[in-house]
């Protein structure tokens, strides 16, 4: 897909990150992963992210990112696949090339590794990655890689294939500055952990779609919430928030790293085989899985 085509597709509906499936020895389980992606592709996602944050990008090698991207493309039918990309500039370029060769429709550029960086450094990093690929690129503002509105505007001017801005900061003022300055030049994606908790507010500042992690195991519920949010149906949103998302977030916050682990646990509980998380993450405890299953059962309809 061309950058403009994937930009329009992303903006058209809900997005999600399939978890990456591993065997018990922590090697890739691509057969199980393909089955999960194929199943998710039937629930109306506008696009799916392969090897993104919830897909444990941080624990994958560039070669594995390519393998996961290829497997997702084989299974997703007509649902576009956006591949994760990140770390330092040289490694990000290598990962971008592998993802493009594997058939990715676009790239999500996750934060660079560890170091804080000035705006000029972030600009050069993102521009170098954009220049290295013909794919559309989404910049992910989060953690130690936060471009301000001026830097995003410079990048949009310099990089025709920069198609999107994803926010993981939760800073409404920064996001509003970006959306006001860039208008329809980019698509805007919510990327806070369990973004459903923030979706209504961010919709008001121009972030009209987001990546739903729980789509991994309750896709119908995720779509029901998204459609209510877009329709301004506050009663339905509050019903789902109280029944599922508020208790889900309380369980998620019990341990560092659980925003990923709890999604993988949910996939396991619905009868799929995602395997364990890779270190340094840890899996949910049995009692915590029981609590999660209660939430899933209560909202299954």
């Amino acid at each position: 897909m061309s950058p403009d085509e994937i930009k329009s597709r992303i903006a058209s509906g809900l997005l999600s990150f399939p978890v990456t499936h591993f065997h018990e020895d922590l090697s890739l389980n691509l057969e199980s992963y393909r089955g999960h992606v194929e199943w998710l592709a039937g629930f109306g996602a506008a696009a799916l992210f392969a090897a993104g944050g919830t897909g444990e990008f941080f624990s994958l090698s560039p070669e594995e990112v390519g393998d996961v991207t290829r497997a997702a493309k084989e299974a997703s039918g007509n649902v576009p696949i956006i591949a994760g990309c990140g770390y330092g500039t040289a490694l990000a370029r290598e990962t971008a090339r592998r993802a493009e060769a594997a058939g990715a429709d676009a790239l999500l550029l996750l934060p660079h590794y560890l170091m804080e960086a000035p705006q000029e450094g972030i600009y050069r990093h993102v521009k170098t990655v954009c220049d290295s690929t013909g794919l559309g690129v989404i910049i992910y503002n989060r953690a130690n890689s936060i471009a301000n509105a001026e830097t995003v505007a410079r990048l949009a001017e310099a990089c025709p294939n920069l198609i999107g801005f994803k926010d993981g900061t939760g800073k409404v003022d920064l996001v509003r500055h970006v959306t006001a300055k860039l208008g329809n030049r980019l698509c805007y994606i919510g990327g806070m952990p369990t973004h459903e908790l923030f979706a209504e507010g961010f919709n008001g500042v121009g972030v009209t779609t987001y990546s739903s992690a729980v789509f991994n195991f309750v896709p119908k519920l995720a779509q029901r919430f998204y459609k209510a949010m877009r329709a301004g149906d506050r009663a339905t949103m509050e019903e789902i928030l109280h029944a599922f998302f508020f208790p889900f977030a309380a369980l998620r916050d019990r341990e560092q790293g659980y925003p990923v682990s709890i999604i993988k646990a949910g996939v396991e509980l619905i009868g799929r085989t995602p395997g364990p998380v890779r270190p340094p993450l840890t899996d949910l405890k049995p009692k915590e899985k029981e609590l999660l299953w209660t939430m899933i059962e209560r909202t299954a309809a």
Side-chain angles (χ1 to χ4, degrees):
M1 301 179 76
S2 72
D4 282 343
E5 288 171 335
I6 190 66
K7 174 189 165 187
S8 296
R9 184 65 178 268
I10 291 167
S12 71
L14 186 63
L15 312 169
S16 188
F17 289 80
V19 296
T20 301
H21 292 219
F22 301 124
H23 294 288
E24 288 301 317
D25 66 359
L26 301 181
S27 61
L28 291 177
N29 184 349
L30 295 179
E31 180 179 0
S32 178
Y33 178 72
R34 288 188 195 95
H36 187 205
V37 171
E38 182 177 17
W39 180 70
L40 291 176
F43 290 96
L48 296 172
F49 293 85
T54 303
E56 298 181 68
F57 171 81
F58 46 84
S59 78
L60 302 174
S61 69
E63 182 179 6
E64 287 177 321
V65 171
D67 292 341
V68 169
T69 301
R70 187 174 296 104
K73 283 295 293 181
E74 291 168 355
S76 68
N78 66 354
V79 178
I81 295 297
I82 303 165
C85 178
Y87 296 115
T89 306
L91 197 54
R93 282 186 301 181
E94 178 187 350
T95 305
R97 286 194 291 265
R98 288 181 180 272
E100 187 168 11
D105 295 291
L107 297 172
L108 175 65
L109 182 55
L110 284 87
H112 58 269
Y113 174 72
L114 189 61
M115 299 298 294
E116 302 292 336
Q119 292 299 303
E120 181 63 25
I122 293 173
Y123 171 83
R124 293 179 187 179
H125 172 69
V126 177
K127 185 177 185 300
T128 299
V129 175
C130 287
D131 288 347
S132 74
T133 179
L135 297 178
V137 176
I138 301 162
I139 182 175
Y140 194 178
N141 251 27
R142 187 166 180 172
N144 62 321
S145 186
I146 301 175
N148 63 29
E150 287 72 23
T151 298
V152 177
R154 286 181 66 201
L155 286 165
E157 177 68 24
C159 307
N161 61 330
L162 184 70
I163 60 167
F165 174 87
K166 184 173 183 181
D167 177 70
T169 69
K171 296 180 178 179
V172 177
D173 55 341
L174 170 59
V175 174
R176 186 66 185 108
H177 195 180
V178 172
T179 61
K181 195 173 187 67
L182 276 296
N184 63 8
R185 169 63 183 83
L186 302 175
C187 62
Y188 303 101
I189 304 164
M192 292 292 289
T194 315
H195 191 83
E196 285 86 354
L197 300 174
F198 306 87
E200 185 178 12
F202 276 83
N203 184 58
V205 297
V207 181
T208 56
T209 189
Y210 56 87
S211 51
S212 172
V214 303
F215 187 92
N216 268 277
F217 59 93
V218 283
K220 290 181 180 179
L221 182 74
Q223 283 286 18
R224 183 175 170 230
F225 185 90
Y226 174 75
K227 290 172 183 176
M229 185 273 293
R230 294 294 293 143
D233 181 355
R234 177 168 285 187
T236 296
M237 284 189 287
E238 289 186 354
E239 171 199 334
I240 299 171
L241 286 167
H242 285 292
F244 183 81
F245 284 111
F246 290 146
F248 173 86
L251 180 57
R252 176 205 68 190
D253 291 344
R254 288 189 175 191
E255 290 283 358
Q256 295 288 336
Y258 268 16
V260 174
S261 306
I262 196 171
I263 303 303
K264 188 160 269 191
V267 176
E268 176 191 336
L269 288 167
I270 64 165
R272 298 195 171 268
T273 54
V277 293
R278 281 180 172 176
L281 299 183
T282 58
D283 292 298
L284 264 65
K285 302 173 181 68
K287 289 291 185 183
E288 293 168 335
K289 289 183 180 180
E290 290 177 15
L291 290 172
L292 180 57
W293 178 242
T294 299
M295 298 175 205
I296 294 170
E297 282 192 309
R298 187 168 61 231
T299 57

